Amino acid sequence: MSSATFTQTRTFAQNLEKQTEQLLSRLSKIQTAGVSVEPSEEESSVTNSIVDMLEKREEVVGRLNRLSESDANISTSKLQQLQRHKEVLADHKGSFHKIQGRITEERNRNNLLFTIRSDISAHKQREISSGPDNENNYILDERARVDNANSFADRLLQQAYETRDELFSQRVQLQNAANRISGTLQSVPGINVLISKINTRRKRDTLIMGFVISLCIIGLFFLA
């Protein structure tokens, strides 16, 4: 690699760096002056020029890098110059992305404000154009809401009446059941007396049978 080739390529890289700085300055002034809802022709032109310029510089820096790698006796100063071109390229890329980010943020904010203003204007226009019809529609809507509320209240009252009748019916059934249980409890003592008499008679019959069997056994003993 000749020294002239490296020097010429580096001079070209320096010229591209100056042009990039000028374009970045123009784009920053556009952002400072105020961003419109849609990108202006100047903004689009400057942005496209910066993108093309950065691509060219990447190619030039790559060419310088290949030239340095092909020269085994390249000087330290040239390596430092190559590293400086890489750093400037990275700085310019970062500046471009920052400016673009600020422009995008401001444009989004402007679009939001524009949308809000448009909605407010459209709403006011509808109010002006509708006039009395709008008031009539509002009254009709309010009447419909009142009717719905009354209908809901009627349904609640009807359910309350049905619940009251059901509770009254259950109370009558519980009273009847309590009366039947009370009658059964009152008849229990008579049943107990009957059972007691049956048990007494059974015991008496058992004693008589035991006595008769005993006499039979005694009589058989004497007869034997």
Side-chain angles (χ1 to χ4, degrees):
M1 178 195 71
S2 63
S3 176
T5 303
F6 187 91
T7 302
Q8 292 174 355
T9 305
R10 179 171 177 270
T11 300
F12 183 52
Q14 289 176 331
N15 292 331
L16 294 179
E17 289 175 357
K18 292 179 181 178
Q19 296 179 33
T20 305
E21 290 177 353
Q22 294 174 356
L23 291 172
L24 289 173
S25 177
R26 287 181 59 188
L27 187 63
S28 179
K29 290 180 180 179
I30 293 173
Q31 185 266 324
T32 304
V35 178
S36 57
V37 176
E38 296 292 337
S40 63
E41 183 177 354
E42 181 184 8
E43 179 187 341
S44 299
S45 176
V46 173
T47 301
N48 293 332
S49 298
I50 293 175
V51 172
D52 294 338
M53 193 66 62
L54 292 176
E55 290 178 354
K56 289 180 181 179
R57 288 176 58 187
E58 286 181 351
E59 295 177 358
V60 172
V61 171
R63 192 184 311 163
L64 287 173
N65 191 63
R66 289 190 296 271
L67 290 174
S68 64
E69 290 177 351
S70 63
D71 186 3
N73 298 320
I74 189 171
S75 63
T76 303
S77 61
K78 290 182 178 179
L79 292 176
Q80 292 176 348
Q81 292 170 359
L82 173 60
Q83 182 62 30
R84 178 56 184 167
H85 286 302
K86 291 180 179 179
E87 292 175 353
V88 173
L89 176 60
D91 290 341
H92 286 172
K93 284 183 177 180
S95 298
F96 176 57
H97 292 316
K98 287 181 181 178
I99 297 173
Q100 270 194 322
R102 290 196 294 268
I103 290 175
T104 301
E105 182 180 355
E106 187 173 351
R107 174 163 289 118
N108 291 337
R109 183 170 59 252
N110 291 339
N111 285 332
L112 178 60
L113 294 175
F114 178 77
T115 302
I116 294 174
R117 292 193 187 100
S118 298
D119 292 341
I120 294 174
S121 177
H123 180 69
K124 290 182 178 178
Q125 187 64 31
R126 286 194 299 269
E127 288 182 347
I128 294 173
S129 61
S130 59
D133 293 337
N134 190 37
E135 296 180 358
N136 293 333
N137 292 332
Y138 176 78
I139 294 173
L140 292 175
D141 292 339
E142 287 296 324
R143 181 179 298 173
R145 283 192 287 268
V146 172
D147 292 339
N148 291 332
N150 291 334
S151 178
F152 181 72
D154 291 338
R155 289 196 298 270
L156 288 179
L157 289 174
Q158 183 64 29
Q159 292 176 0
Y161 290 144
E162 293 176 355
T163 303
R164 184 197 61 181
D165 295 339
E166 182 67 21
L167 291 174
F168 180 77
S169 177
Q170 291 180 1
R171 186 181 66 178
V172 172
Q173 293 177 0
L174 290 175
Q175 288 179 349
N176 293 334
N179 293 333
R180 288 195 297 269
I181 293 173
S182 178
T184 302
L185 291 176
Q186 291 178 358
S187 63
V188 167
I191 295 175
N192 289 335
V193 172
L194 179 61
I195 293 174
S196 178
K197 291 181 178 179
I198 293 172
N199 290 332
T200 302
R201 182 174 296 178
R202 182 176 298 174
K203 290 180 182 180
R204 186 186 62 185
D205 293 341
T206 301
L207 290 175
I208 292 173
M209 290 293 295
F211 180 73
V212 172
I213 292 172
S214 298
L215 290 177
C216 292
I217 292 173
I218 293 171
L220 290 173
F221 178 76
F222 283 109
L223 290 175

